[in-house]
Amino acid sequence: MAFELPPLPYAYDALAPYMSAETLEFHHDKHHQAYVDNGNKLLQGSGLEGKSLEEIVKESYGKNQGLFNNAGQHYNHIHFWKWMKKGGGGKSLPGALQKAVDSDLGGYDKFRADFLNAGATQFGSGWAWLAVKNGKLEIMKTPNGENPLVQGATPILGVDVWEHSYYIDYRNARPKYLEAFVDNLINWEYVEELYSKAS
Ligand code: FE2
């Protein structure tokens, strides 16, 4: 199926001051749009035209790098917009998710430290993740447009650490951006929704 840019699920200025309208205008309207447009061009003739986005991501991995890069980033960004909300972040996790964070990741504080560390130590462009693998939560990081789907896991939360996600608001201070994301932006209800589907 052809890729389409979904609208942002909130106003461009909804996430300020943690993520500015200018960042969202560039990131959503320019960067995500480019992944959609390039992905659609590369999908033509790939043999994967009739597949779902998840199938295209998994089946192009290691075989059709150009298509994988754009389809992967399309998948990652569709969720990234929904992984944030105004007034989000912090320790108020829905119950089932909180239990899993306690049992699989050593509690919220350890999750926070490990997730921030994964984002800060991803060298160059990429993503840090909370994913479900073999029924358990895991923190992961991936380069470029990759995501946990290609490692047999289901992503339930991800943060974009490409410079286009933070350079306007934070310049080179990636750790500050990551702290703002975790403490003020995460839409835990959406994370919980994906967690309940994955487990
Ligand atoms: Fe991005």
Side-chain angles (χ1 to χ4, degrees):
M1 59 182 205
F3 303 147
E4 266 181 63
L5 183 69
L8 276 184
Y10 30 72
Y12 286 93
D13 62 359
L15 305 183
Y18 306 107
M19 187 174 284
S20 66
E22 189 184 1
T23 288
L24 284 168
E25 282 160 10
F26 275 90
H27 198 174
H28 176 270
D29 299 4
K30 307 287 184 197
H31 292 280
H32 191 173
Q33 182 73 62
Y35 299 131
V36 168
D37 294 343
N38 292 327
N40 279 328
K41 278 181 210 151
L42 293 162
L43 191 56
Q44 300 281 328
S46 68
L48 299 174
E49 292 91 336
K51 307 269 185 170
S52 71
L53 177 57
E54 285 194 23
E55 289 170 328
I56 293 166
V57 170
K58 288 190 220 174
E59 292 181 27
S60 63
Y61 182 61
K63 294 182 190 137
N64 183 338
Q65 189 66 38
L67 177 58
F68 174 76
N69 289 340
N70 287 283
Q73 284 291 71
H74 180 41
Y75 176 92
N76 296 346
H77 286 82
I78 285 174
H79 292 289
F80 183 59
W81 311 129
K82 292 158 92 175
W83 278 320
M84 298 185 286
K85 69 170 192 179
K86 185 183 182 67
K91 291 187 172 200
S92 309
L93 277 58
L97 186 62
Q98 179 67 59
K99 268 190 194 162
V101 166
D102 289 342
S103 61
D104 298 343
L105 300 176
Y108 177 84
D109 290 343
K110 186 160 188 324
F111 151 76
R112 182 182 181 278
D114 291 348
F115 187 79
L116 292 176
N117 188 54
T121 58
Q122 169 53 43
F123 185 75
S125 296
W127 294 75
W129 302 98
L130 180 59
V132 179
K133 188 168 189 181
N134 302 323
K136 287 200 156 195
L137 292 180
E138 256 184 52
I139 289 168
M140 306 170 81
K141 58 183 175 179
T142 58
N144 304 315
E146 270 188 46
N147 64 45
L149 287 179
V150 300
Q151 299 178 27
T154 305
I156 62 168
L157 172 66
V159 62
D160 188 342
V161 299
W162 287 58
E163 284 187 347
H164 66 220
S165 196
Y166 60 88
Y167 213 82
I168 291 170
D169 299 325
Y170 299 90
R171 294 301 169 191
N172 61 324
R174 188 193 288 185
K176 282 209 166 103
Y177 154 72
L178 288 165
E179 284 181 14
F181 179 86
V182 172
D183 296 340
N184 304 103
L185 293 176
I186 294 175
N187 180 350
W188 283 119
E189 289 70 34
Y190 184 55
V191 179
E192 161 93 351
E193 188 186 318
L194 295 178
Y195 175 67
S196 65
K197 277 186 205 159
S199 55

